Amino acid sequence: MNNTSSAVLLTPEQFEQALRARGSYYHIYHPYHIAMHNGQATREQIQGWVANRFYYQTSIPLKDAAIMANCPDPDTRRKWVQRILDHDGYGSSEGGIEAWLRLGEAVGLDREELLSEKHVLPGVRFAVDAYVNFARRAVWQEAACSSLTELFAPQIHQARLDSWPQHYPWIEAEGYDYFRSRLSQANRDVEHGLQLALEYCNTVEKQQRMLEILQFKLDILWSMLDAMTMAYELNRPPYHSVTQDAVWHTGRLV
């Protein structure tokens, strides 16, 4: 637990360093993710990850739209709207959601399976919904800066492009387009989000709260993989002790 009473105001450089230090808890260090990177994941585990992450992907534009709805600054909205377009697509650009659907097909999942959300585990849904609801309710600067896990994202996309084709030759090559597109997009988003954080967090209280918010986002990503570990590695999906059926709810209720 952070103790703001004993904390001191960090310089912008020190605060950025403190934010980046939270990368030690990024979900690339989760055992499930390490197994995927090292080629130790089964086909079911890869498919389960793709299906559950799709719910996260489709929720990102909802999160970003909530931030824009609470943001009174036109300059920020003009920049932030690009995130929605990156995922939903515009003009001749298909967008990240469509690219993720093609990743699903590349790993052997039917497009309709992904769109139905029937594979989304309750733990994943609860974690992602918590993120969207936070964005709806929080001060817009705090909600915007919760996206700063992007600080650690470019390396993860490149690592998948480097390792997955070697480890999983059964995955069709066109499925990797999403990861390629995010290499440049994530760097652009990081620059804007970090600028907002450094400008907004000008008190000890704001700096400490933002570090806690970043940890909240890291908790969400880690908890998603915990749920997948239970279901696809330990073979203990929800209600496993009473039924083999996927009886959990499959739609957005709010």
Side-chain angles (χ1 to χ4, degrees):
M1 185 66 65
N2 291 322
N3 185 357
T4 57
S5 63
S6 61
V8 297
L9 181 65
L10 303 176
T11 67
E13 293 77 14
Q14 291 171 330
F15 183 51
E16 179 178 346
Q17 183 178 6
L19 290 168
R20 291 186 181 276
R22 293 296 172 108
S24 299
Y25 310 114
Y26 197 42
H27 63 155
I28 58 173
Y29 302 113
H30 192 287
Y32 195 99
H33 201 282
I34 291 173
M36 288 196 299
H37 175 74
N38 291 341
Q40 299 166 336
T42 66
R43 182 183 295 256
E44 180 192 23
Q45 288 164 358
I46 293 288
Q47 291 177 337
W49 179 80
V50 170
N52 280 271
R53 282 283 298 197
F54 183 66
Y55 186 69
Y56 178 81
Q57 301 305 131
T58 58
S59 297
I60 290 175
L62 303 182
K63 176 266 297 183
D64 288 325
I67 293 170
M68 289 183 61
N70 292 330
C71 176
D73 178 38
D75 289 337
T76 298
R77 293 200 303 268
R78 277 191 288 268
K79 292 180 180 179
W80 208 268
V81 72
Q82 185 61 49
R83 297 171 181 248
I84 297 177
L85 298 176
D86 285 344
H87 280 82
D88 286 346
Y90 64 99
S92 59
S93 173
E94 65 178 9
I97 292 175
E98 176 61 29
W100 199 275
L101 284 167
R102 289 195 287 105
L103 172 61
E105 292 173 329
V107 302
L109 293 170
D110 184 85
R111 174 177 292 244
E112 295 306 315
E113 282 185 88
L114 291 177
L115 292 170
S116 73
E117 300 179 0
K118 69 179 184 179
H119 297 304
V120 179
L121 298 164
V124 170
R125 189 180 294 274
F126 297 152
V128 174
D129 287 354
Y131 185 33
V132 176
N133 289 330
F134 174 79
R136 288 171 174 158
R137 299 172 60 186
V139 175
W140 74 264
Q141 292 98 328
E142 293 185 347
C145 295
S146 68
S147 301
L148 279 176
T149 47
E150 293 163 336
L151 286 167
F152 325 120
Q155 71 175 99
I156 196 174
H157 299 311
Q158 188 61 57
R160 289 171 189 149
L161 291 169
D162 292 339
S163 66
W164 280 31
Q166 302 175 40
H167 296 315
Y168 310 109
W170 52 271
I171 298 178
E172 298 176 8
E174 56 268 26
Y176 295 118
D177 287 347
Y178 176 85
F179 304 136
R180 293 189 186 93
S181 68
R182 288 304 295 169
L183 289 175
S184 59
Q185 292 171 359
N187 283 322
R188 178 205 64 211
D189 293 344
V190 162
E191 183 178 345
H192 183 215
L194 189 57
Q195 177 188 359
L196 285 174
L198 297 180
E199 291 175 355
Y200 176 71
C201 297
N202 56 5
T203 68
V204 172
E205 291 74 20
K206 285 182 178 179
Q207 288 181 345
Q208 293 299 311
R209 179 166 170 78
M210 196 60 70
L211 288 169
E212 187 74 356
I213 288 169
L214 181 56
Q215 187 62 54
F216 160 72
K217 175 63 183 306
L218 291 164
D219 294 349
I220 286 169
L221 297 172
W222 196 276
S223 296
M224 290 170 63
L225 290 177
D226 282 346
M228 290 182 234
T229 297
M230 289 293 294
Y232 308 124
E233 184 177 340
L234 302 180
N235 297 315
R236 292 185 175 186
Y239 308 104
H240 70 278
S241 60
V242 293
T243 180
Q244 297 300 308
D245 297 331
V247 297
W248 52 87
H249 72 290
T250 58
R252 297 178 188 265
L253 302 182
V254 292

